[in-house]
Amino acid sequence: MSLNHQKYADFIWSVADLLRGDYRQSEYGKVILPFTVLRRIDCVLEPTKEAVLSAARQLKDSPLPQGAKDRKLRDAAGETFYNTSELDFKKIAAAPDNVASNLRAYIGSFSSGAVEVLDKFRFDEQITRLEESKLLYLVTSKFATIDLHPDKVDNHQMGYIFEELIRKFSEISNETAGEHFTPREVIKLMVNLLMAPDDEDVMVPGIVRTVYDPACGTGGMLTAAEEHITRYNTKATVKVFGQELNPESWAICRSDMMLKGQDPTKIAFGNSFTADGHPNGRFDYLLANPPFGVEWKKVQSEILDEAENLGWAGRFGAGTPRINDGSFLFLQHMISKMKPVEDGGSRIAIVFNGSPLFTGAAGSGESEIRRWILENDWLEAIVALPDQLFYNTGISTYFWILSNRKAPALRDKVILLDARDYWAKMRKSLGDKRKLVTDEQIDELTKLYKDVVTTGIEDPKVKVFPRHAFGYQRITVERPLRLRFEVTDDTAEELAQVKAVQKYEHKDALLNAIRSLSGTARATRKEMEASLIEHFAKHQLGAHGKVAAPVMKAVWAAVSISDPEGELQTDFRNDPLPDPDLRDNENVPITSMNSTPAERLAEIEEYMKTEVLPHVPEAWVDHSKTKLGFEIPFTRHFYVYTPPRPLEEIDAELKSLESQIQQLLGKVTR
């Protein structure tokens, strides 16, 4: 943010000095944000105020319907909103005894959309509270002195000011990491990569493009997308759509869209999952930075209901992720709003932390969602970003870029772009943000991405994989159970701790029988069975020495000892029984996304033949437990081996350190 933006933000933030004592730090935003929005709107409407008042007087007794009157007043204002009050900020500040009533009258004279924005701030409550604290005049007069007219502060700069204020409020309120705010250079890079393949297409005269963000915050991504398109084509029409759950962020976004001439009604308020503001919307570009690692328990019943009852006709047919991370819900929601390919298709960009790349074993919700995306060939790229880029978290982040109209060079392929080294150190940290991506680095990454998208040619920082490279079969490898049988001095005590034995009515007799067998060892189950029955009969247990099945099961567990040289245990079909302690799992890579079951079985057999059986020739696969899984181990593909230092070098360093320590100790003991 430039010094000019910072100057305005610092001035507005200085209002907090007036609030200190009467407001908690976490409450400053409830006053400062709506006043900033109101003052901005006031400045924007100033040049056309007389024209609006004149039109309002002419329309006062007009028989025209209200909708027609609204259109005429908007035309007079030159904006999508208007205010018919004689008052403005300067007049309100000039009457200290009537600030509350004048402010309410002024707000009540706005067109409906603007009033709704201020209502979401619960601004009327703050007017009352400020008045009771004798702060209302001081705050109002302070804002009356700042000029936020677009001639002084353009929309782009105003966006920076809003974002800087929200960052400060988020910090002092300890907001959840990743919520509310995405740094501008991150948005710029994201939009560049999202639209890189389409830069030539947007040059077509008169094109119309739609952009959607289901977690739009203050609207930074929507604004950046619009600016990107209109930079290439000033004649293009860009229509933006969004939805936001946080009322203050929604109010800022909506007011920002009002000020930019966008249709503010396209910014919906509420939860995108349970109250979709654009249920039938299909968009050209979709982008989002949803909260990282936030649980979705509050909306669990609605989401599971849709998943179970609508299946593939709903948004979550592929599955649902763990309850403590709703990231994939946002992506599934966005995928549901892609245009069909025959209507031009869509492109998606979303910011994730590392979790969606690999969390969830084969068959889990996350793995099934990754599988669904890859099977449909929607995943175009994963871009790894530097850490410490965001204000509220220092964790590593990734762009996921998806499209249902991938370039021919990328069909059936996925790009991995490692941008972790593309950063510069900030002169001054802002929260957890210590790094930024420079304009030059953004340009370099954009060119790198555009080149690989159009040609498929790799670079040291770019690798292209067939989509099946991220799939695997999770197999269960079994080895035969071999046992010998032995009763020791501790066997009876072990059995005494087993619940089935504790409940057995002849518990004492059973334990005495086992004690009498102490030191007995048998090579086969049949031999041990004969010994057990003989001793049980002597102790008058059961009919002919046979006890209840649960008790006998406990006895066998106590006297059986795993032994590689022991007797092979088999089932009633004479097939080997598996040894649970020797059970292992292996991931078998798949060779195609479209393999038949027979081909997948052949892949497993080949893997066993080359990787397992040479080491454990008796092993086999329990095919009933095989599951198909998908993960994207990004860092593994860019791992660079660093050889350890020579032992001589390490030894010399240790001796040097030892010598230094001895010298220091010598000085201390003198």
Side-chain angles (χ1 to χ4, degrees), residues 35-96:
F35 262 104
T36 304
V37 169
L38 188 58
R39 180 58 177 145
R40 172 66 169 181
I41 292 173
D42 184 68
C43 290
V44 169
L45 293 178
E46 181 184 347
T48 59
K49 189 162 188 68
E50 287 305 320
V52 172
L53 293 176
S54 175
R57 286 191 289 269
Q58 293 174 22
L59 293 167
K60 185 177 181 182
D61 300 319
S62 170
L64 287 172
Q66 188 58 44
K69 291 180 180 180
D70 281 344
R71 285 192 293 274
K72 286 183 176 294
L73 289 169
R74 288 189 176 94
D75 289 343
E79 301 288 347
T80 59
F81 57 97
Y82 59 85
N83 186 296
T84 56
S85 173
E86 299 277 351
L87 295 166
D88 59 21
F89 247 76
K90 291 179 181 177
K91 289 179 180 178
I92 294 169

Side-chain angles (χ1 to χ4, degrees), residues 638-651:
F638 287 93
Y639 172 74
V640 178
Y641 173 72
T642 302
R645 292 186 296 162
L647 288 175
E648 295 80 4
E649 183 181 322
I650 297 172
D651 188 48

